[in-house]
Amino acid sequence: MSTEKLHPADLLSKVLPDRARDIEPGKLKSSTERLSDPAEALSLFSSFGGEGWICTASTSDIIRFSPSAPLAVGGGWPICGEAVKGKESLHLNRCDSGWELVTVSREDSNDDHDTILSSSFTAKGGGRLRYETYWGLADVAGQVELRPVGFRFVGFEPKKEG
């Protein structure tokens, strides 16, 4: 089957007809930095700014921050977190050799195969987290499949009144 005839946006719209308004052209690019020092990882994550959340070993709470209430973690052992500032997101993860900071940037589409699907999920303890998932066509053993290629955190969904 030729990938020239397949368009991820069309396929997603058919599979998820009630989500067609959440599908748009775009792509995500990422880069990863690995760090072995917890203070450096926390400092780089904190200096990114924006809106997001972080979990540290020093508390069982999820720490939420925003431009009007910046992240104020004075140290500790970061476990995971996500932040967004405009078209750029930063994902912090603990890994075997230390920490990974993954920067994910939203870019314009080069062709009609670059497709973004926006979603939101209920977080533990309430509130909703918003994400963008980049979908693409992949050749798997001669079979063309539509697969998620990457994702990024894009903020918190505003709380509904009432």
Side-chain angles (χ1 to χ4, degrees), residues 1 16-17 40 42 51 63 81 91 108 118 124 138:
M1 179 177 273
L16 305 167
E40 184 180 11
L42 189 56
E51 172 183 48
I63 301 165
H91 300 253
D108 293 333
S118 298
K124 185 177 179 183

Side-chain angles (χ1 to χ4, degrees), residues 36-105:
S36 60
D37 178 39
E40 184 180 11
L42 189 56
S43 175
L44 285 173
F45 184 80
S46 180
S47 68
F48 179 81
E51 172 183 48
W53 62 271
I54 189 169
C55 292
T56 67
S58 59
T59 179
S60 61
D61 295 328
I62 296 171
I63 301 165
R64 187 172 166 172
F65 56 92
S66 67
S68 61
L71 180 59
V73 177
W77 190 272
I79 299 172
C80 58
E82 297 177 306
V84 62
K85 188 170 54 179
K87 290 187 174 189
E88 195 170 70
S89 298
L90 184 64
H91 300 253
L92 167 72
N93 294 299
R94 177 76 174 103
C95 62
D96 291 340
S97 59
W99 289 264
E100 287 184 343
L101 288 167
V102 181
T103 302
V104 184
S105 302

